[in-house]
Amino acid sequence: MSVHSANSSTTAAATGRSRAVKAVIPAAGLATRFLPATKAVPKELLPVVDRPVLQYIVEEATQAGINDVLLITGRGKTSMVDHFDRRPDLEARLEKKPEILAAVQRPSELAEIYTVRQPEQLGLGHAVGYAESHVGDQPFAVLLGDEFVKMDEPLLPAMLELQARTGGVVLAFFEVDPAETKRYGIASVAPAEAELADIGEVVKVTGMVEKPDPEQAPSNLAVLGRYVLPGKIFDAIRRTKPGSGGEIQLTDAMELLRTEGTPVHAIVYRGTRYDTGMPLGYLQTVVQIAVERDDFGAEFRKWLTDFVNSNASGGSNT
C-alpha cells in the first residue's frame, strides 16, 4: 500500500464517457453516538468481529474494481491510515502463524490509500468537496464510512455501470419504515428508461429531500450510503447553501444538478445492508456477521440461542 496526499496529479481524462475508477470515503465525523469509545478510536475502526468497519468498505470498493481510495479524515483519525499500512515488526512475529500473518497483510494489499483533511465538519456535501483535487472532473464513487453491503450481494458494480451509461448521478435506495424517513435522504421516483432494465431494479429520481418528517416524505425509498457522481458535482456543492442542520448537504447539491438537467437514477437494493452508524445497528451487524463465520459461527449461534431463550424464561446464562 501507498499513502499519498490528495494533491497527487490525476490521471489523464479518457475520451468519451468513462467509468469511475476512484472512491471517496468521508470519515471525518466525531461519532458522538459512540462516545466515549470514539474519543481515541475512530468509529470507522470499531471491529466487526476481527475486521474494522472501514476495511469492509474498502473491500467493497476493490471488489467492484476500484483500487484508488481517498479517505476524508479529521483530527485524531490518523490510525485509519495506519490500518492500511505495513507493520514489519508485527509481521516478523507472525512468521510461524501464516493465517494470521495473511490477515494482517491483507489491508495493505487492498488498494492505494490517499488522504485529505477536512478541518471542520460542515456536512456530507462539504466533505465530498474536499475530494475535487484528487478526482478532478472524472466520475467517482462515494462510500459512506458507517455502512456496507454483503460481499456476495454486491451493489457497486451495477451502480458504476449505470453511471457509465447515463453520465449522471447514480444513487442506491432501500425501503424503510415510513416512520424512519426523518433519518435519511428520501426520494420521489418514476420508471426508468427501458434500455436500463438489464442493469437491475433501476428507477428515475424526480426529487430528493433530506430527512423529511413522515407526513412530508414523498416515498419510503431512502438513500443508501453509496453514490456514483459526475465531476460537476463539485461546482454544485460550491453553489449549495447550508440546509438541514445548517450543513452543506450532498442531497441538496445532487438535487441542484437534477433541476439543471443532469439525469439522476438509482438502483433499489434488495440485498443485505449493514448499518454501523448507531450502537444498535452496530451490534446487529456484529451478530449477523459472527453467526455466519465458518470458524465459530455455529457455536456462537447456539450460545446466542441459549442466551436468548434463557433470558426470555427469566433465567441467567453466564
Side-chain angles (χ1 to χ4, degrees):
M1 184 212 73
S2 299
V3 178
H4 309 269
S5 73
N7 291 323
S8 299
S9 59
T10 57
T11 57
T15 58
R17 189 173 289 161
S18 58
R19 186 184 180 95
V21 296
K22 296 183 179 182
V24 174
I25 302 178
L30 298 176
T32 55
R33 294 186 182 96
F34 285 87
L35 287 171
T38 50
K39 179 181 177 182
V41 179
K43 178 183 68 173
E44 295 81 8
L45 292 187
L46 293 179
V48 177
V49 186
D50 54 6
R51 277 185 283 169
V53 173
L54 185 58
Q55 183 173 333
Y56 283 93
I57 295 168
V58 173
E59 287 174 343
E60 185 181 334
T62 59
Q63 183 190 42
I66 293 178
N67 298 302
D68 181 310
V69 177
L70 175 69
L71 302 179
I72 310 292
T73 68
R75 293 181 184 86
K77 292 205 164 188
T78 56
S79 55
M80 291 193 301
V81 179
D82 293 339
H83 178 73
F84 295 94
D85 205 351
R86 294 288 302 272
R87 274 289 304 273
D89 58 329
L90 178 60
E91 293 170 18
R93 291 176 174 268
L94 296 173
E95 288 182 353
K96 296 182 180 180
K97 300 179 179 180
E99 290 187 5
I100 301 177
L101 176 60
V104 168
Q105 292 175 330
R106 177 168 169 74
S108 66
E109 298 168 348
L110 286 172
E112 294 291 318
I113 304 295
Y114 299 80
T115 65
V116 66
R117 177 74 65 89
Q118 182 190 16
E120 190 176 7
Q121 286 70 61
L122 298 176
L124 179 57
H126 181 259
V128 171
Y130 276 86
E132 183 173 15
S133 63
H134 184 72
V135 302
D137 60 358
Q138 296 300 297
F140 63 102
V142 174
L143 296 82
L144 298 194
D146 54 13
E147 58 184 301
F148 57 96
V149 303
K150 197 170 184 179
M151 291 292 285
D152 58 3
E153 299 171 357
L155 167 63
L156 197 54
M159 294 182 68
L160 296 174
E161 173 64 20
L162 180 57
Q163 200 284 329
R165 289 199 202 177
T166 65
V169 171
V170 171
L171 310 175
F173 294 154
F174 67 104
E175 291 187 324
V176 298
D177 186 290
E180 294 294 302
T181 58
K182 58 187 177 182
R183 288 183 52 203
Y184 303 97
I186 302 294
S188 56
V189 302
E193 298 85 337
E195 61 267 23
L196 300 175
D198 64 303
I199 296 178
E201 190 175 346
V202 179
V203 294
K204 188 173 183 178
V205 179
T206 59
M208 291 177 285
V209 59
E210 184 69 22
K211 301 177 182 177
D213 291 329
E215 59 272 15
Q216 297 175 328
S219 74
N220 70 330
L221 291 176
V223 179
L224 194 152
R226 298 293 178 269
Y227 313 79
V228 185
L229 305 171
K232 58 185 170 182
I233 190 66
F234 298 115
D235 177 66
I237 289 171
R238 282 190 288 271
R239 294 185 286 123
T240 298
K241 297 179 180 180
S244 176
E247 297 180 333
I248 299 173
Q249 298 292 347
L250 183 61
T251 299
D252 295 339
M254 294 186 298
E255 175 65 3
L256 176 60
L257 287 183
R258 189 194 67 79
T259 61
E260 294 176 344
T262 297
V264 181
H265 294 82
I267 293 175
V268 181
Y269 182 65
R270 305 291 183 182
T272 303
R273 166 183 172 268
Y274 303 107
D275 184 356
T276 64
M278 294 191 296
L280 177 59
Y282 169 73
L283 292 173
Q284 291 169 334
T285 297
V286 172
V287 171
Q288 286 178 271
I289 290 180
V291 298
E292 295 177 354
R293 288 282 292 250
D294 293 333
D295 46 358
F296 58 74
E299 184 178 356
F300 177 65
R301 183 187 293 269
K302 180 181 182 305
W303 174 87
L304 187 62
T305 301
D306 292 344
F307 176 79
V308 172
N309 291 340
S310 176
N311 279 270
S313 62
S316 62
N317 189 335
T318 57

